[in-house]
Amino acid sequence: MNSKIGIIIAREFLQRVTKKSFIITTILFPVLMIGLMIAPALIMAFSTTETKEIYVIDHSGIVAQNLKSSDEVSFVIADEGAPDTLRTHGNSYGVLFIGNNIVEKPGNVQLYTGEASSMAVERTITSQMEEIIKDEKLKQYNIENINEILRNVETTVTLQTFRTDSDNEESTSSSSMVSYAIGTLLSLVLYMFLLMYGQMVMTSIIEEKNNRVLEVMVSSVKPTQLMVGKILGIGSVAVTQIAIWGVLISSAVGILLPMLLPADIMAQATALNAGTLDSSASNVDADLLGVIAAAGNVAYIVKLFALMAAFLLGGFLFYASMFAAIGSAVDNIQDASQLQTAAIMPIIIALVISMSVATDPNSPLAFWTSLVPFTSPMIMMMRIPFGIATWEIALSLGILYISIIGMIWIAAKIYRVGIFMYGKKPSLKELIRWINYK
């Protein structure tokens, strides 16, 4: 029995991993993921732009002299008597017109440029003018040192979150935004895999059924062995792809990030992972630093891919059994599209719930849906980046894999009858009758 199933597994596996589509997607996804991971580093390295010169014609007399030039924008005040009809000025990037009643009418300002306007330039101009106009309005209240008072009371709070319930003695730093982003990505990948590989099982069975290949194969192997072999063979393709992605991404990130990022930023990322970073001394945005820290933690990435492979295999075996039963019960894809709603809807519902769970990964909804086999794979992949307890992961995996046995048993009952049925799409009542056949 084992040798026959092994032959079927090998056939299904080799038939798919040798296809160009498998090779291309296996290479492209890690390239995309690595690009997303090193994007923050590339943005920081190449975010410098050419300084743009803005010629300012200020009829209010209160704005131009208070505009501050920077590496991005350089302001040049026009000589008195500059014509209002001026639209370009020499080699400058643009001309800025400011009306004489700008305080009462903040919309009385225009920027003329000889090329597509830059959002960064517009944001710089508007933000500076808003501060200048605000200061002019505050002066009307005649409060001494009001600007200094306002600067002193303005406060920005940078919150660092630490996990004190981890297995390590030291507390570890965490970021809800980074965990949310990682969890969403993993849930979407799992969603894609369950649908793609599950439907692959179904379409393969329908094609072999129509070609009468199954009738030949069941003469030397039992229907249940054939179904299990096909499911395990295609499932091994999915796990292999995830394993390759994990190795490529972990290796590439471990090599590329230290090469692309300055040493001080890498040191801050390392300190953030260890929970020893002094946020007040950091010169990098907290969320951006969190992304860099997560991407540079190779052990963390390996752990995520290992758990993803475990839940992917479990979720695939569970849902592939349903798709196999549907494929065996029909003769064509059109009939299957109606029956497969029973398999697709729980996957979609799990994805929707996972987005809600991300706001509170420890809520009762998150916990209980993590234990239901229909939803647990995607819900757990959303929760795992938040650092949930190990026993919850183990319990979820245990229930999922135990449930697989029952689902395969039900699918095998339908499969052994369905592969010999032609010309009629069975009803739900007939499928239940097939399950009860001795």
Side-chain angles (χ1 to χ4, degrees), residues 1-14 217 220-236 317 408 412 415:
M1 175 179 173
N2 292 336
S3 62
K4 290 179 180 179
I5 292 180
I7 293 172
I8 298 169
I9 292 173
R11 172 183 174 272
E12 297 292 336
F13 178 81
L14 295 174
M217 296 180 70
S220 57
V221 63
K222 293 180 180 179
T224 302
Q225 297 174 2
L226 182 60
M227 186 194 76
V228 172
K230 182 177 287 291
I231 291 174
L232 291 177
I234 296 177
S236 62
L317 293 176
I408 289 179
Y415 185 88

Side-chain angles (χ1 to χ4, degrees), residues 203-244:
T203 54
S204 176
I205 292 173
I206 293 174
E207 290 173 1
E208 291 179 353
K209 182 178 178 180
N210 288 332
N211 296 333
R212 296 297 197 269
V213 174
L214 290 179
E215 295 180 2
V216 176
M217 296 180 70
V218 295
S219 63
S220 57
V221 63
K222 293 180 180 179
T224 302
Q225 297 174 2
L226 182 60
M227 186 194 76
V228 172
K230 182 177 287 291
I231 291 174
L232 291 177
I234 296 177
S236 62
V237 175
V239 173
T240 299
Q241 198 166 44
I242 288 292
I244 294 173

Side-chain angles (χ1 to χ4, degrees), residues 194 197-198 201 231 234-235 311-321:
L194 291 180
Y197 281 99
V201 172
I231 291 174
I234 296 177
F311 278 101
L312 170 64
L313 180 60
F316 169 80
L317 293 176
F318 186 83
Y319 277 104
S321 302

Side-chain angles (χ1 to χ4, degrees), residues 322-399:
M322 299 173 64
F323 280 109
I326 294 169
S328 67
V330 298
D331 298 335
N332 53 70
I333 299 296
Q334 288 74 21
D335 291 340
S337 62
Q338 299 177 19
L339 290 177
Q340 69 177 336
T341 303
I344 293 177
M345 283 306 297
I347 300 177
I348 296 175
I349 291 172
L351 181 64
V352 173
I353 294 176
S354 68
M355 298 303 162
S356 174
V357 162
T359 59
D360 186 1
N362 296 307
S363 66
L365 175 66
F367 176 77
W368 291 110
T369 53
S370 297
L371 302 182
V372 178
F374 289 95
T375 58
S376 62
M378 276 181 289
I379 302 297
M380 286 303 294
M381 292 319 301
M382 176 60 82
R383 296 182 66 205
I384 285 172
F386 288 91
I388 63 172
T390 304
W391 69 266
E392 290 189 40
I393 299 175
L395 179 60
S396 178
L397 281 173
I399 294 174

Side-chain angles (χ1 to χ4, degrees), residues 57-60 96-111 129 133:
I57 300 176
D58 182 12
H59 294 294
S60 69
L96 179 67
F97 288 90
I98 301 172
N100 55 9
N101 57 347
I102 189 66
V103 176
E104 293 78 16
K105 294 183 178 180
N108 192 8
V109 55
Q110 300 88 35
L111 174 65
M129 289 189 63
I133 294 171

